[in-house]
Amino acid sequence: MVRKSNLVCVFLLFLAINGINAEDPYRFFTWKVTYGDIYPMGVKQQGIMINGQFPGPQINCVTNDNLIISVYNYLNEPFLLSWNGLQHRRNSWQDGTYGTTCPIPPGKNFTYMLQAKDQIGSFFYFPSLALHKAAGGYGGIKIYSRPRIPVPFPFPAGDHTVLAGDWFKRGHQRLRHILDGGRSLPSPDGLLINGRGWNGYKFEVEGGKTYRFRISNVGLTTSINFRIQGHIMRLVEVEGSHTVQNAYNSLDLHLGQSASVLVTANQAVRDYYVVVSSRFTSRVLTTTAILHYKNSKIGVSGPPPGGPTTQIAWSLMQARTIRWNLTASGPRPNPQGSYHYGMIKPSRTIMLSNSAPWINGKQRYAVNGVSFVAGDTPLKLADYFKIGGIYNLGSIPDKPRTGNAYLATSVMHADFRSFAEIVFQNWEDTVQSWHIDGYSFFVVGMDGGQWTPASRTRYNLRDTVARSTVQVYPRAWTAIYIALDNVGMWNIRSENWARQYLGQQFYLRVYSPAHSWRDELPIPKNALLCGRARGRRTRPLRG
Ligand SMILES: *[C@@H]1O[C@H](CO)[C@@H](O)[C@H](O)[C@H]1NC(C)=O
Ligand SMILES: *[C@@H]1O[C@H](CO)[C@@H](O)[C@H](O)[C@H]1NC(C)=O
């Protein structure tokens, strides 16, 4: 015990030096990442396991907890984890994307030091490099509210994580090979719920009690619909925003999105289907899990309930019903409900348009005609060590451009504390899903056709949700407001994994000339250094 408390003291010092707030509780995790055999669709596949588990271990924590996660990479290739929806206030060092963090080499380890600062809600982590996500390596993150800050619903009898999404029988290396060869991915082979196929996973409930289900779409290429046979779902949370508690029979979740619903086990005691099906695909893929009532002796029966039969219009209409509960308290001392985003005039409009160009005879994907390629050094390290020639700030325009698409290590500049409007314009005939690391943004509007300044008259400037991942329907636009109050190098990407891998992403460099540790934490002492940053020192150069 003595040894352990000494260790804790050393660690507290370590945390203080690295700018983590040691007054808040901390939780330690040791994760071993290995390959392992998995059979989610009945055939043997090489999975990426964390501590032997697929999906990986669940992270349960409370607002402001420090999470100290030591990751040991036993794969034979570089590995990184990223944290979908965690904001890493002042700390993009921990984001775990190509542009912020050096990969953990095979046989090496790295300790992430995260803080769930001012956040509540349902999120997930995933492997960010190559196509590792196609082999697993993902897991759920629950951030509970602090005891003094009540949530707008009674504490549920249970809290179930649902990690759902499409799945390929082909291994991640083969999928990557297809993309590297300049071809697009085939259709997925099926869907999984918590790593299992048809009726493979069981959620236990007790009659009369109410449960929370936290659903995330962890798939690679398709939107999904979630529903539970014979049960109504009340939506309570979307990526950290408490919502108006509308009732739904089924809910669409686009790639990378998370939501919580409350379900009361108020039906006859038996088993029911929990159903996930693909959306907007020519062939509808479906999988099921089981909602098992305690003492039930009657198994599931009949066909699983079908999903919505109408396509885009239904989904768009449902999206518009997702609104913020303005009277519910938020995770901050100044609850988000009192934050009048609609009263602030954006100082800049950024318009981002996705496309699928062919470049040098290969399929690529692009933002404003620029298809992202990785340089040899993380952009954040290039910035910190002032290593030139890795990226140019002007490498991606903030409006769609015409002309041939090109490859670049694209980084866009943004001023710290500016308030921006971003319009995602989609002229392709597939649903897009966009994610911004380090932020939660307000989804002010979405509609069909071309966005114009007149579209602003239909914005919801009162009670839309703040979230980190938003869909854009085919030949349609989605507009968001974002307060750029988090200094760092932040990935803006398609959550469609083929698209992000082949270039539909870039980095937003939110910059403050002050270089103050109040605005951004110093480089972590344990930062891995790779590429042209190899051999440099992580001693503070500034401050
Ligand atoms: C993790 O790696 C670092 C450097 O590569 C090493 O110094 C450290 O001992 C490792 N941690 C453990 C607990 O083995
Ligand atoms: C909003 O939250 C409050 C609790 O803060 C709750 O009483 C109310 O029912 C919620 N309203 C809606 C419409 O969901």
Side-chain angles (χ1 to χ4, degrees), residues 29-37 46-57 69-83 103-112 125-129 132-133 135-139 172:
F29 302 82
T30 302
W31 284 359
K32 292 185 165 38
V33 181
T34 58
Y35 285 125
D37 292 340
Q46 184 188 54
I48 291 180
M49 328 287 282
I50 298 181
N51 293 349
Q53 299 171 40
F54 163 65
I69 306 171
S70 295
V71 178
Y72 290 77
N73 177 15
Y74 291 109
L75 308 183
N76 58 4
E77 49 189 320
F79 183 79
L80 265 186
L81 287 173
S82 189
W83 320 89
I104 309 170
K108 300 285 190 220
N109 68 78
F110 174 66
T111 299
Y112 289 87
Y125 62 85
F126 66 95
S128 61
L129 300 182
H132 290 161
K133 198 180 173 193
Y138 51 73
H172 66 99

Short mmCIF file of all heavy atoms in Angstrom, two decimals, residues 29-37 46-57 69-83 103-112 125-129 132-133 135-139 172:
data_model
loop_
_atom_site.label_atom_id
_atom_site.label_comp_id
_atom_site.label_asym_id
_atom_site.label_seq_id
_atom_site.Cartn_x
_atom_site.Cartn_y
_atom_site.Cartn_z
N PHE A 29 -6.41 3.47 -16.21
CA PHE A 29 -6.74 2.31 -17.05
C PHE A 29 -5.45 1.79 -17.66
O PHE A 29 -4.60 2.59 -18.07
CB PHE A 29 -7.68 2.73 -18.20
CG PHE A 29 -8.97 3.35 -17.76
CD1 PHE A 29 -9.02 4.70 -17.42
CD2 PHE A 29 -10.13 2.60 -17.68
CE1 PHE A 29 -10.22 5.29 -17.01
CE2 PHE A 29 -11.33 3.19 -17.28
CZ PHE A 29 -11.38 4.54 -16.95
N THR A 30 -5.31 0.48 -17.72
CA THR A 30 -4.18 -0.12 -18.44
C THR A 30 -4.76 -1.01 -19.52
O THR A 30 -5.50 -1.95 -19.21
CB THR A 30 -3.30 -0.95 -17.47
OG1 THR A 30 -2.86 -0.08 -16.44
CG2 THR A 30 -2.09 -1.51 -18.20
N TRP A 31 -4.46 -0.67 -20.74
CA TRP A 31 -5.07 -1.38 -21.86
C TRP A 31 -4.01 -2.04 -22.72
O TRP A 31 -3.09 -1.39 -23.20
CB TRP A 31 -5.89 -0.40 -22.74
CG TRP A 31 -7.20 -0.01 -22.13
CD1 TRP A 31 -7.72 -0.43 -20.95
CD2 TRP A 31 -8.13 0.93 -22.68
NE1 TRP A 31 -8.95 0.17 -20.74
CE2 TRP A 31 -9.22 1.01 -21.78
CE3 TRP A 31 -8.16 1.70 -23.85
CZ2 TRP A 31 -10.32 1.84 -22.00
CZ3 TRP A 31 -9.25 2.52 -24.08
CH2 TRP A 31 -10.33 2.58 -23.16
N LYS A 32 -4.17 -3.35 -22.94
CA LYS A 32 -3.28 -4.07 -23.84
C LYS A 32 -4.02 -4.31 -25.16
O LYS A 32 -5.09 -4.93 -25.16
CB LYS A 32 -2.89 -5.41 -23.21
CG LYS A 32 -2.00 -5.22 -21.97
CD LYS A 32 -1.52 -6.56 -21.45
CE LYS A 32 -0.38 -6.46 -20.46
NZ LYS A 32 -0.39 -5.36 -19.52
N VAL A 33 -3.42 -3.83 -26.22
CA VAL A 33 -4.06 -3.94 -27.55
C VAL A 33 -3.41 -5.10 -28.29
O VAL A 33 -2.20 -5.10 -28.51
CB VAL A 33 -3.89 -2.63 -28.34
CG1 VAL A 33 -4.56 -2.75 -29.70
CG2 VAL A 33 -4.45 -1.46 -27.55
N THR A 34 -4.22 -6.08 -28.65
CA THR A 34 -3.70 -7.27 -29.35
C THR A 34 -4.62 -7.65 -30.51
O THR A 34 -5.75 -7.19 -30.59
CB THR A 34 -3.67 -8.49 -28.40
OG1 THR A 34 -5.02 -8.71 -27.92
CG2 THR A 34 -2.75 -8.27 -27.22
N TYR A 35 -4.10 -8.50 -31.37
CA TYR A 35 -4.98 -9.18 -32.33
C TYR A 35 -5.59 -10.40 -31.65
O TYR A 35 -4.96 -11.01 -30.78
CB TYR A 35 -4.20 -9.64 -33.56
CG TYR A 35 -3.82 -8.54 -34.51
CD1 TYR A 35 -2.51 -8.33 -34.90
CD2 TYR A 35 -4.81 -7.71 -35.04
CE1 TYR A 35 -2.18 -7.32 -35.79
CE2 TYR A 35 -4.49 -6.70 -35.92
CZ TYR A 35 -3.17 -6.50 -36.29
OH TYR A 35 -2.85 -5.51 -37.16
N GLY A 36 -6.80 -10.74 -32.04
CA GLY A 36 -7.42 -11.94 -31.49
C GLY A 36 -8.46 -12.44 -32.47
O GLY A 36 -8.96 -11.68 -33.30
N ASP A 37 -8.78 -13.73 -32.37
CA ASP A 37 -9.80 -14.29 -33.27
C ASP A 37 -11.19 -13.90 -32.79
O ASP A 37 -11.51 -14.08 -31.62
CB ASP A 37 -9.69 -15.82 -33.30
CG ASP A 37 -8.40 -16.27 -33.97
OD1 ASP A 37 -7.82 -15.45 -34.71
OD2 ASP A 37 -7.98 -17.41 -33.74
N GLN A 46 -9.71 -11.63 -37.89
CA GLN A 46 -8.72 -11.05 -37.00
C GLN A 46 -9.31 -9.77 -36.40
O GLN A 46 -9.55 -8.81 -37.12
CB GLN A 46 -7.46 -10.75 -37.78
CG GLN A 46 -6.34 -10.22 -36.92
CD GLN A 46 -5.17 -9.76 -37.77
OE1 GLN A 46 -5.32 -8.95 -38.67
NE2 GLN A 46 -3.99 -10.29 -37.48
N GLY A 47 -9.55 -9.78 -35.09
CA GLY A 47 -10.10 -8.59 -34.45
C GLY A 47 -9.03 -7.83 -33.70
O GLY A 47 -7.96 -8.38 -33.40
N ILE A 48 -9.29 -6.57 -33.43
CA ILE A 48 -8.41 -5.80 -32.54
C ILE A 48 -9.08 -5.76 -31.18
O ILE A 48 -10.21 -5.29 -31.04
CB ILE A 48 -8.14 -4.39 -33.11
CG1 ILE A 48 -7.27 -4.53 -34.37
CG2 ILE A 48 -7.45 -3.51 -32.06
CD1 ILE A 48 -6.91 -3.23 -35.04
N MET A 49 -8.39 -6.35 -30.20
CA MET A 49 -8.95 -6.51 -28.86
C MET A 49 -8.27 -5.56 -27.89
O MET A 49 -7.09 -5.25 -28.05
CB MET A 49 -8.70 -7.94 -28.35
CG MET A 49 -8.67 -9.03 -29.40
SD MET A 49 -10.30 -9.38 -30.02
CE MET A 49 -10.91 -10.37 -28.67
N ILE A 50 -9.00 -5.12 -26.89
CA ILE A 50 -8.40 -4.36 -25.80
C ILE A 50 -8.61 -5.17 -24.54
O ILE A 50 -9.75 -5.50 -24.21
CB ILE A 50 -9.01 -2.95 -25.70
CG1 ILE A 50 -8.73 -2.20 -27.00
CG2 ILE A 50 -8.44 -2.21 -24.49
CD1 ILE A 50 -9.25 -0.79 -27.05
N ASN A 51 -7.51 -5.54 -23.89
CA ASN A 51 -7.55 -6.47 -22.75
C ASN A 51 -8.36 -7.72 -23.10
O ASN A 51 -9.16 -8.21 -22.29
CB ASN A 51 -8.12 -5.78 -21.51
CG ASN A 51 -7.19 -4.69 -21.01
OD1 ASN A 51 -6.05 -4.60 -21.45
ND2 ASN A 51 -7.67 -3.86 -20.08
N GLY A 52 -8.19 -8.20 -24.30
CA GLY A 52 -8.85 -9.42 -24.74
C GLY A 52 -10.32 -9.26 -25.07
O GLY A 52 -10.99 -10.24 -25.35
N GLN A 53 -10.83 -8.02 -25.05
CA GLN A 53 -12.26 -7.82 -25.28
C GLN A 53 -12.56 -7.16 -26.62
O GLN A 53 -11.83 -6.27 -27.06
CB GLN A 53 -12.84 -6.90 -24.18
CG GLN A 53 -12.71 -7.44 -22.78
CD GLN A 53 -13.10 -6.39 -21.75
OE1 GLN A 53 -14.05 -5.64 -21.93
NE2 GLN A 53 -12.35 -6.30 -20.68
N PHE A 54 -13.64 -7.57 -27.21
CA PHE A 54 -14.20 -6.90 -28.39
C PHE A 54 -15.71 -6.85 -28.21
O PHE A 54 -16.33 -7.91 -28.06
CB PHE A 54 -13.86 -7.66 -29.68
CG PHE A 54 -14.72 -7.26 -30.85
CD1 PHE A 54 -14.65 -5.97 -31.37
CD2 PHE A 54 -15.64 -8.14 -31.41
CE1 PHE A 54 -15.47 -5.58 -32.43
CE2 PHE A 54 -16.46 -7.75 -32.47
CZ PHE A 54 -16.37 -6.47 -32.98
N PRO A 55 -16.35 -5.67 -28.17
CA PRO A 55 -15.72 -4.34 -28.14
C PRO A 55 -14.85 -4.16 -26.90
O PRO A 55 -14.90 -4.98 -25.98
CB PRO A 55 -16.92 -3.40 -28.08
CG PRO A 55 -18.09 -4.18 -28.52
CD PRO A 55 -17.80 -5.60 -28.16
N GLY A 56 -14.08 -3.10 -26.89
CA GLY A 56 -13.16 -2.83 -25.80
C GLY A 56 -13.88 -2.46 -24.51
O GLY A 56 -15.10 -2.29 -24.49
N PRO A 57 -13.11 -2.31 -23.41
CA PRO A 57 -13.71 -1.98 -22.11
C PRO A 57 -14.47 -0.66 -22.15
O PRO A 57 -14.11 0.26 -22.88
CB PRO A 57 -12.52 -1.87 -21.17
CG PRO A 57 -11.33 -2.34 -21.92
CD PRO A 57 -11.66 -2.39 -23.36
N ILE A 69 -4.92 6.82 -19.22
CA ILE A 69 -5.12 5.56 -19.95
C ILE A 69 -3.81 5.13 -20.60
O ILE A 69 -3.35 5.77 -21.56
CB ILE A 69 -6.23 5.74 -21.01
CG1 ILE A 69 -7.51 6.28 -20.33
CG2 ILE A 69 -6.49 4.42 -21.73
CD1 ILE A 69 -8.59 6.69 -21.31
N SER A 70 -3.21 4.08 -20.06
CA SER A 70 -1.95 3.57 -20.63
C SER A 70 -2.26 2.51 -21.66
O SER A 70 -2.88 1.50 -21.35
CB SER A 70 -1.07 2.97 -19.54
OG SER A 70 -0.69 3.99 -18.64
N VAL A 71 -1.83 2.78 -22.88
CA VAL A 71 -2.13 1.87 -23.99
C VAL A 71 -0.86 1.18 -24.45
O VAL A 71 0.13 1.85 -24.78
CB VAL A 71 -2.77 2.67 -25.16
CG1 VAL A 71 -3.05 1.75 -26.34
CG2 VAL A 71 -4.04 3.37 -24.70
N TYR A 72 -0.85 -0.14 -24.42
CA TYR A 72 0.29 -0.95 -24.86
C TYR A 72 -0.06 -1.56 -26.20
O TYR A 72 -1.02 -2.31 -26.33
CB TYR A 72 0.58 -2.06 -23.84
CG TYR A 72 1.14 -1.52 -22.56
CD1 TYR A 72 0.30 -0.91 -21.62
CD2 TYR A 72 2.50 -1.58 -22.29
CE1 TYR A 72 0.82 -0.37 -20.46
CE2 TYR A 72 3.02 -1.04 -21.12
CZ TYR A 72 2.17 -0.44 -20.21
OH TYR A 72 2.68 0.10 -19.07
N ASN A 73 0.74 -1.23 -27.19
CA ASN A 73 0.45 -1.69 -28.55
C ASN A 73 1.19 -3.00 -28.86
O ASN A 73 2.38 -2.99 -29.12
CB ASN A 73 0.86 -0.60 -29.55
CG ASN A 73 0.67 -1.05 -30.99
OD1 ASN A 73 -0.02 -2.05 -31.25
ND2 ASN A 73 1.26 -0.32 -31.92
N TYR A 74 0.47 -4.10 -28.83
CA TYR A 74 1.05 -5.39 -29.18
C TYR A 74 0.72 -5.80 -30.61
O TYR A 74 0.91 -6.96 -30.98
CB TYR A 74 0.57 -6.48 -28.20
CG TYR A 74 1.13 -6.30 -26.80
CD1 TYR A 74 0.32 -5.88 -25.76
CD2 TYR A 74 2.48 -6.51 -26.54
CE1 TYR A 74 0.83 -5.70 -24.48
CE2 TYR A 74 3.00 -6.34 -25.27
CZ TYR A 74 2.17 -5.93 -24.24
OH TYR A 74 2.69 -5.76 -22.99
N LEU A 75 0.21 -4.86 -31.42
CA LEU A 75 -0.01 -5.16 -32.84
C LEU A 75 1.34 -5.06 -33.55
O LEU A 75 2.30 -4.52 -33.01
CB LEU A 75 -0.99 -4.17 -33.46
CG LEU A 75 -2.34 -3.97 -32.75
CD1 LEU A 75 -3.21 -3.00 -33.54
CD2 LEU A 75 -3.05 -5.29 -32.54
N ASN A 76 1.36 -5.51 -34.80
CA ASN A 76 2.62 -5.37 -35.55
C ASN A 76 2.60 -4.12 -36.42
O ASN A 76 3.32 -4.01 -37.39
CB ASN A 76 2.89 -6.63 -36.38
CG ASN A 76 1.74 -6.91 -37.34
OD1 ASN A 76 0.80 -6.12 -37.44
ND2 ASN A 76 1.82 -8.02 -38.05
N GLU A 77 1.73 -3.18 -36.08
CA GLU A 77 1.71 -1.92 -36.82
C GLU A 77 1.38 -0.77 -35.87
O GLU A 77 0.84 -0.99 -34.78
CB GLU A 77 0.71 -1.98 -37.98
CG GLU A 77 -0.65 -2.50 -37.58
CD GLU A 77 -1.54 -2.76 -38.80
OE1 GLU A 77 -1.51 -1.95 -39.74
OE2 GLU A 77 -2.26 -3.76 -38.78
N PRO A 78 1.69 0.47 -36.28
CA PRO A 78 1.44 1.63 -35.41
C PRO A 78 -0.05 1.74 -35.08
O PRO A 78 -0.90 1.35 -35.88
CB PRO A 78 1.90 2.81 -36.25
CG PRO A 78 2.76 2.25 -37.31
CD PRO A 78 2.30 0.85 -37.56
N PHE A 79 -0.34 2.29 -33.92
CA PHE A 79 -1.71 2.29 -33.41
C PHE A 79 -1.97 3.59 -32.65
O PHE A 79 -1.09 4.13 -32.00
CB PHE A 79 -1.89 1.09 -32.47
CG PHE A 79 -3.28 0.92 -31.94
CD1 PHE A 79 -4.27 0.34 -32.71
CD2 PHE A 79 -3.61 1.33 -30.64
CE1 PHE A 79 -5.56 0.17 -32.22
CE2 PHE A 79 -4.89 1.17 -30.15
CZ PHE A 79 -5.88 0.59 -30.94
N LEU A 80 -3.20 4.08 -32.73
CA LEU A 80 -3.63 5.25 -31.95
C LEU A 80 -5.10 5.10 -31.63
O LEU A 80 -5.86 4.60 -32.46
CB LEU A 80 -3.48 6.55 -32.76
CG LEU A 80 -2.23 7.40 -32.63
CD1 LEU A 80 -2.43 8.68 -33.41
CD2 LEU A 80 -1.89 7.71 -31.17
N LEU A 81 -5.49 5.58 -30.46
CA LEU A 81 -6.91 5.67 -30.15
C LEU A 81 -7.33 7.13 -30.20
O LEU A 81 -6.55 8.02 -29.84
CB LEU A 81 -7.21 5.12 -28.75
CG LEU A 81 -7.14 3.61 -28.58
CD1 LEU A 81 -7.28 3.25 -27.10
CD2 LEU A 81 -8.21 2.90 -29.40
N SER A 82 -8.56 7.38 -30.64
CA SER A 82 -9.12 8.73 -30.55
C SER A 82 -10.46 8.63 -29.82
O SER A 82 -10.98 7.54 -29.61
CB SER A 82 -9.28 9.34 -31.94
OG SER A 82 -9.62 10.70 -31.83
N TRP A 83 -11.02 9.76 -29.43
CA TRP A 83 -12.11 9.82 -28.47
C TRP A 83 -13.23 10.65 -29.08
O TRP A 83 -13.18 11.87 -29.04
CB TRP A 83 -11.58 10.44 -27.16
CG TRP A 83 -10.20 9.94 -26.86
CD1 TRP A 83 -9.02 10.49 -27.28
CD2 TRP A 83 -9.85 8.74 -26.13
NE1 TRP A 83 -7.96 9.72 -26.85
CE2 TRP A 83 -8.44 8.65 -26.15
CE3 TRP A 83 -10.60 7.77 -25.48
CZ2 TRP A 83 -7.76 7.59 -25.53
CZ3 TRP A 83 -9.91 6.73 -24.86
CH2 TRP A 83 -8.52 6.65 -24.88
N PRO A 103 1.86 8.08 -33.72
CA PRO A 103 1.36 6.72 -33.50
C PRO A 103 2.21 5.99 -32.45
O PRO A 103 3.40 6.27 -32.32
CB PRO A 103 1.52 6.05 -34.85
CG PRO A 103 1.66 7.16 -35.83
CD PRO A 103 2.25 8.32 -35.10
N ILE A 104 1.59 5.08 -31.73
CA ILE A 104 2.32 4.23 -30.78
C ILE A 104 2.96 3.12 -31.60
O ILE A 104 2.25 2.32 -32.22
CB ILE A 104 1.37 3.63 -29.73
CG1 ILE A 104 0.51 4.72 -29.09
CG2 ILE A 104 2.17 2.85 -28.69
CD1 ILE A 104 -0.62 4.19 -28.21
N PRO A 105 4.31 3.06 -31.66
CA PRO A 105 4.93 2.03 -32.50
C PRO A 105 4.62 0.63 -31.95
O PRO A 105 4.29 0.49 -30.77
CB PRO A 105 6.43 2.33 -32.38
CG PRO A 105 6.53 3.71 -31.82
CD PRO A 105 5.29 3.91 -30.99
N PRO A 106 4.73 -0.39 -32.80
CA PRO A 106 4.52 -1.76 -32.34
C PRO A 106 5.42 -2.06 -31.14
O PRO A 106 6.58 -1.66 -31.13
CB PRO A 106 4.92 -2.62 -33.53
CG PRO A 106 4.86 -1.71 -34.71
CD PRO A 106 5.10 -0.32 -34.22
N GLY A 107 4.86 -2.70 -30.14
CA GLY A 107 5.65 -3.07 -28.97
C GLY A 107 5.88 -1.94 -27.97
O GLY A 107 6.54 -2.14 -26.96
N LYS A 108 5.35 -0.74 -28.25
CA LYS A 108 5.56 0.40 -27.34
C LYS A 108 4.26 0.76 -26.63
O LYS A 108 3.19 0.24 -26.93
CB LYS A 108 6.07 1.61 -28.12
CG LYS A 108 7.37 1.37 -28.84
CD LYS A 108 8.53 1.37 -27.86
CE LYS A 108 9.84 1.38 -28.64
NZ LYS A 108 10.86 0.53 -28.07
N ASN A 109 4.38 1.71 -25.69
CA ASN A 109 3.19 2.15 -24.97
C ASN A 109 3.11 3.66 -24.96
O ASN A 109 4.09 4.36 -25.20
CB ASN A 109 3.24 1.61 -23.53
CG ASN A 109 4.35 2.28 -22.75
OD1 ASN A 109 4.22 3.40 -22.31
ND2 ASN A 109 5.46 1.58 -22.59
N PHE A 110 1.92 4.16 -24.65
CA PHE A 110 1.72 5.60 -24.51
C PHE A 110 0.59 5.81 -23.50
O PHE A 110 -0.38 5.05 -23.50
CB PHE A 110 1.35 6.24 -25.85
CG PHE A 110 0.98 7.69 -25.75
CD1 PHE A 110 1.93 8.64 -25.39
CD2 PHE A 110 -0.32 8.12 -25.98
CE1 PHE A 110 1.60 9.98 -25.28
CE2 PHE A 110 -0.67 9.46 -25.88
CZ PHE A 110 0.29 10.39 -25.53
N THR A 111 0.75 6.82 -22.64
CA THR A 111 -0.28 7.09 -21.65
C THR A 111 -1.02 8.38 -22.02
O THR A 111 -0.43 9.45 -22.06
CB THR A 111 0.34 7.20 -20.24
OG1 THR A 111 0.97 5.95 -19.93
CG2 THR A 111 -0.72 7.50 -19.20
N TYR A 112 -2.29 8.22 -22.33
CA TYR A 112 -3.15 9.37 -22.58
C TYR A 112 -3.54 9.98 -21.24
O TYR A 112 -3.83 9.25 -20.28
CB TYR A 112 -4.44 8.95 -23.27
CG TYR A 112 -4.32 8.52 -24.70
CD1 TYR A 112 -4.03 7.20 -25.03
CD2 TYR A 112 -4.55 9.42 -25.74
CE1 TYR A 112 -3.95 6.79 -26.35
CE2 TYR A 112 -4.47 9.01 -27.06
CZ TYR A 112 -4.17 7.70 -27.35
OH TYR A 112 -4.11 7.29 -28.67
N TYR A 125 -14.80 5.60 -27.97
CA TYR A 125 -13.43 5.72 -28.48
C TYR A 125 -13.25 4.72 -29.61
O TYR A 125 -14.03 3.76 -29.74
CB TYR A 125 -12.41 5.50 -27.35
CG TYR A 125 -12.46 4.14 -26.72
CD1 TYR A 125 -11.76 3.06 -27.27
CD2 TYR A 125 -13.21 3.91 -25.58
CE1 TYR A 125 -11.82 1.80 -26.70
CE2 TYR A 125 -13.27 2.64 -25.00
CZ TYR A 125 -12.57 1.60 -25.58
OH TYR A 125 -12.63 0.35 -25.02
N PHE A 126 -12.24 4.95 -30.43
CA PHE A 126 -12.04 4.08 -31.59
C PHE A 126 -10.60 4.21 -32.05
O PHE A 126 -9.94 5.22 -31.78
CB PHE A 126 -13.00 4.49 -32.73
CG PHE A 126 -12.68 5.85 -33.27
CD1 PHE A 126 -11.87 6.02 -34.38
CD2 PHE A 126 -13.16 6.99 -32.63
CE1 PHE A 126 -11.56 7.29 -34.87
CE2 PHE A 126 -12.84 8.26 -33.10
CZ PHE A 126 -12.05 8.41 -34.21
N PRO A 127 -10.08 3.20 -32.78
CA PRO A 127 -8.73 3.31 -33.33
C PRO A 127 -8.76 4.20 -34.56
O PRO A 127 -9.59 3.99 -35.45
CB PRO A 127 -8.36 1.87 -33.69
CG PRO A 127 -9.62 1.10 -33.68
CD PRO A 127 -10.70 1.90 -33.07
N SER A 128 -7.87 5.19 -34.62
CA SER A 128 -8.00 6.22 -35.66
C SER A 128 -7.15 5.98 -36.90
O SER A 128 -7.38 6.62 -37.92
CB SER A 128 -7.67 7.59 -35.06
OG SER A 128 -6.33 7.60 -34.60
N LEU A 129 -6.16 5.10 -36.81
CA LEU A 129 -5.25 4.94 -37.96
C LEU A 129 -5.73 3.84 -38.90
O LEU A 129 -6.51 2.96 -38.53
CB LEU A 129 -3.84 4.61 -37.48
CG LEU A 129 -3.18 5.64 -36.57
CD1 LEU A 129 -1.77 5.19 -36.22
CD2 LEU A 129 -3.16 7.02 -37.21
N HIS A 132 -8.15 0.33 -38.89
CA HIS A 132 -8.24 -0.48 -37.68
C HIS A 132 -9.66 -0.58 -37.15
O HIS A 132 -10.05 -1.57 -36.55
CB HIS A 132 -7.34 0.10 -36.59
CG HIS A 132 -5.87 -0.06 -36.88
ND1 HIS A 132 -4.90 0.68 -36.28
CD2 HIS A 132 -5.22 -0.88 -37.75
CE1 HIS A 132 -3.71 0.31 -36.73
NE2 HIS A 132 -3.89 -0.63 -37.64
N LYS A 133 -10.43 0.50 -37.37
CA LYS A 133 -11.80 0.52 -36.85
C LYS A 133 -12.62 -0.63 -37.43
O LYS A 133 -13.59 -1.07 -36.81
CB LYS A 133 -12.43 1.88 -37.21
CG LYS A 133 -13.65 2.22 -36.39
CD LYS A 133 -14.22 3.57 -36.82
CE LYS A 133 -15.54 3.87 -36.16
NZ LYS A 133 -16.22 5.01 -36.81
N ALA A 135 -11.73 -3.54 -37.56
CA ALA A 135 -11.41 -4.77 -36.83
C ALA A 135 -11.81 -4.67 -35.37
O ALA A 135 -11.51 -5.55 -34.57
CB ALA A 135 -9.92 -5.06 -36.95
N GLY A 136 -12.47 -3.58 -34.98
CA GLY A 136 -12.89 -3.41 -33.59
C GLY A 136 -12.07 -2.31 -32.92
O GLY A 136 -11.86 -1.26 -33.50
N GLY A 137 -11.62 -2.60 -31.69
CA GLY A 137 -10.80 -1.61 -30.97
C GLY A 137 -11.60 -0.43 -30.46
O GLY A 137 -11.02 0.54 -29.97
N TYR A 138 -12.92 -0.50 -30.56
CA TYR A 138 -13.73 0.62 -30.08
C TYR A 138 -14.46 0.24 -28.79
O TYR A 138 -14.58 -0.95 -28.45
CB TYR A 138 -14.73 1.09 -31.14
CG TYR A 138 -15.58 0.01 -31.76
CD1 TYR A 138 -16.62 -0.59 -31.05
CD2 TYR A 138 -15.37 -0.40 -33.08
CE1 TYR A 138 -17.41 -1.57 -31.63
CE2 TYR A 138 -16.16 -1.40 -33.67
CZ TYR A 138 -17.17 -1.96 -32.93
OH TYR A 138 -17.96 -2.95 -33.49
N GLY A 139 -14.95 1.24 -28.08
CA GLY A 139 -15.68 0.99 -26.84
C GLY A 139 -16.47 2.22 -26.43
O GLY A 139 -16.25 3.32 -26.97
N HIS A 172 -9.29 -5.86 -41.95
CA HIS A 172 -8.99 -4.43 -42.13
C HIS A 172 -7.85 -4.19 -43.11
O HIS A 172 -7.85 -3.20 -43.83
CB HIS A 172 -8.72 -3.77 -40.78
CG HIS A 172 -7.48 -4.24 -40.08
ND1 HIS A 172 -6.30 -3.54 -40.12
CD2 HIS A 172 -7.23 -5.35 -39.36
CE1 HIS A 172 -5.38 -4.20 -39.42
NE2 HIS A 172 -5.93 -5.29 -38.95
#
